[in-house]
Amino acid sequence: MDLFLLKKIISAMIMPLNVILLLLLIAIIFYRLKPKLSFSALLIASALLFLSTFPPLSDTLMAPLEDNYPAFSKQKKPVNYIVILGGAHTTVDSLPATSQLKSSSLERLVEAVRIYRLHPEAQVITSGFAGGDVSSNAEKVKQAAILLGIPKHKIISENFPQDTEEEAQLIAPRVINKTVVLVTSANHLPRAMAYFEKYGVKAIPAPASPWVKESSTKQWNYYLPSAKKLQQTTTVWYETLGRVAQWFKSW
């Protein structure tokens, strides 16, 4: 089996929702055979579900991953490249390219367009493989960028990187010793910056769309479990696993 696919399968299996479902399945199977085991599995599953969906806890876990870099502002010197790291999409020919992007890719693209308007001298690099789709994420983001006003001749596509390290490895030779802005999700940016630095690129960070947006006032429903916060907690867990893997690779 392909190592990349195996890595994705293992990481998916240990995501919070899948662990909760496994515990619930154990509770059902052993309901009569081992009541104590069944009850313990049910109790742990319920606790994990509540903790994963509880907004204050989810925000507390996410904030340290995102609070590393300020929002990008116009630079005093020209920018050579704006690099948009890959996300996800689903090709549907009846929809505009912007509507085919999943939220992570769309948010990164919107931030890149904002930066391009501050620095129209820059070239834009899109990145990301197809991941089972008929089109690579790099190509789909390029199509969407053109719709949003970036000239086609200003966009370069890297269609084959499968993960963040491969993106850094393949893009670095083109942008090394240049002024580079690196655009990705706020929680993903520290790991991405580390990989680009590993391959000799000192990029300017540009965090896109942080999950946690601090507000001086919180409504009462902020303290109720939320399905959106389950997604956020899952993102925390996924990014934490990525950082652990990065740490082991650095040995």
Side-chain angles (χ1 to χ4, degrees):
M1 181 182 289
D2 179 72
L3 183 60
F4 175 78
L5 179 60
L6 180 62
K7 180 176 68 174
K8 290 296 182 182
I9 291 173
I10 293 173
S11 64
M13 288 174 61
I14 57 177
M15 288 298 110
L17 183 58
N18 290 331
V19 172
I20 291 167
L21 290 174
L22 178 61
L23 288 168
L24 291 175
L25 183 62
I26 292 172
I28 293 171
I29 292 173
F30 292 99
Y31 174 67
R32 293 186 182 279
L33 296 175
K34 295 185 177 181
K36 288 185 178 180
L37 174 62
S38 175
F39 179 76
S40 297
L42 180 61
L43 189 63
I44 295 171
S46 301
L48 282 176
L49 181 60
F50 174 77
L51 293 173
S52 298
T53 58
F54 188 53
L57 179 59
S58 184
D59 286 355
T60 298
L61 295 173
M62 177 61 83
L65 301 182
E66 297 186 324
D67 293 343
N68 294 277
Y69 304 104
F72 178 88
S73 58
K74 185 175 175 63
Q75 303 295 295
K76 294 180 179 179
K77 58 184 179 179
V79 170
N80 300 114
Y81 293 100
I82 301 167
V83 177
I84 312 172
L85 295 188
H89 69 280
T90 300
T91 296
V92 181
D93 292 334
S94 60
L95 295 174
T98 47
S99 295
Q100 296 175 45
L101 299 180
K102 299 291 179 66
S103 59
S104 60
S105 278
L106 185 59
E107 290 160 359
R108 295 171 190 184
L109 173 59
V110 169
E111 177 64 10
V113 170
R114 182 184 76 84
I115 294 169
Y116 178 81
R117 289 175 179 170
L118 293 174
H119 290 279
E121 74 279 3
Q123 285 190 292
V124 175
I125 300 178
T126 62
S127 177
F129 77 131
D133 195 88
V134 296
S135 174
S136 70
N137 189 249
E139 179 60 29
K140 194 60 62 178
V141 172
K142 177 181 179 179
Q143 294 170 9
I146 294 169
L147 289 180
L148 295 179
I150 298 180
K152 182 178 180 180
H153 71 276
K154 298 294 291 288
I155 306 173
I156 302 166
S157 297
E158 291 284 357
N159 296 293
F160 302 107
Q162 293 186 320
D163 58 23
T164 308
E165 184 171 18
E166 285 189 9
E167 288 179 305
Q169 189 175 13
L170 290 172
I171 294 172
R174 183 190 296 274
V175 304
I176 198 166
N177 297 324
K178 302 291 185 180
T179 303
V180 183
V181 178
L182 184 61
V183 182
T184 188
S185 305
N187 64 80
H188 178 236
L189 192 53
R191 184 158 60 97
M193 289 287 289
Y195 275 130
F196 274 80
E197 287 172 8
K198 175 182 176 181
Y199 291 99
V201 178
K202 297 187 180 299
I204 300 168
S209 192
W211 283 86
V212 182
K213 299 174 177 66
E214 290 295 336
S215 173
S216 57
T217 59
K218 290 182 171 61
Q219 302 296 323
W220 62 270
N221 57 357
Y222 172 74
Y223 299 96
L224 296 179
S226 163
K228 184 177 180 181
K229 292 302 178 181
L230 175 60
Q231 184 183 0
Q232 178 177 301
T233 304
T234 301
T235 302
V236 170
W237 184 234
Y238 180 86
E239 186 57 33
T240 300
L241 288 175
R243 293 191 185 193
V244 170
Q246 185 179 50
W247 179 73
F248 274 112
K249 285 180 181 180
S250 67
W251 275 28

